[in-house]
Amino acid sequence: MQRLLPPRLALILSALMAAFDSFLPGPELVPPAYQRLGLPLVVLGLGVAVAARAQFARARTNIYTFSQPDHLVTDGLFRFTRNPMYLGFCLALTGLAVFLGSLAPVLCAVAYLVISDRWYIAFEEEMMRARFGEAYQRYARHTRRWL
């Protein structure tokens, strides 16, 4: 899993969502009249992820999930959520699932959320605790994991 970074997983799941929708259409969950409402969620999610990435670049800290963090970033989007990039990808995948409208894409979006929460974020939080100690603990007490 260390080679499968979160943005790659999001891309793979996006492709799977489109493939499932095209080749194995399942039960429709979102009526066609409402499917376009997913597009703003895709844009919002990608915008959040890109903005958080840019914030890491400004802080000159490591962005790679399985590498040691350089700095504890707690301002900007990180005041509202400890994981704005994951949140952004989840929003974008949820928007794509709404746009496609069927069950399989929704399951892919849920899979990303679960994998992010249980694998990536859990791993990163352990590294942050080890690296930043009480400063990270204090931040985690005051800022939610997701929202």
Side-chain angles (χ1 to χ4, degrees), residues 18 30 94 135:
V30 180
T94 299

Side-chain angles (χ1 to χ4, degrees), residues 10-25 93 96-97 99-100 102 104-106 108:
L11 283 173
I12 289 167
L13 288 172
S14 295
L16 278 173
M17 292 165 99
F20 285 143
D21 191 63
S22 295
F23 301 112
L24 298 170
L93 288 170
L96 181 58
F99 179 74
L100 296 172
S102 62
V106 169
C108 289

Side-chain angles (χ1 to χ4, degrees), residues 52-132:
R53 169 65 174 104
Q55 193 170 347
F56 264 32
R58 283 190 302 276
R60 296 180 187 204
T61 192
N62 172 51
I63 191 168
Y64 298 105
T65 300
F66 300 103
S67 299
Q68 193 67 239
D70 302 311
H71 304 286
L72 180 60
V73 179
T74 61
D75 59 339
L77 291 171
F78 292 86
R79 286 181 295 151
F80 307 106
T81 173
R82 296 193 314 259
N83 299 287
M85 284 177 262
Y86 293 110
L87 177 62
F89 287 131
C90 284
L91 286 171
L93 288 170
T94 299
L96 181 58
V98 169
F99 179 74
L100 296 172
S102 62
L103 178 62
V106 169
L107 295 176
C108 289
V110 169
Y112 186 85
L113 179 116
V114 170
I115 292 168
S116 294
D117 191 66
R118 300 294 173 210
W119 175 255
Y120 295 124
I121 293 172
F123 179 86
E124 288 179 3
E125 286 180 343
E126 197 57 41
M127 285 180 48
M128 299 292 277
R129 276 187 210 92
R131 174 89 160 99
F132 300 110

Side-chain angles (χ1 to χ4, degrees), residues 1-39:
M1 272 300 263
Q2 287 193 10
R3 294 200 182 268
L4 186 56
L5 296 174
R8 287 187 186 145
L9 178 60
L11 283 173
I12 289 167
L13 288 172
S14 295
L16 278 173
M17 292 165 99
F20 285 143
D21 191 63
S22 295
F23 301 112
L24 298 170
E28 193 168 280
L29 298 179
V30 180
Y34 297 102
Q35 289 177 356
R36 289 183 189 231
L37 295 175
L39 293 177

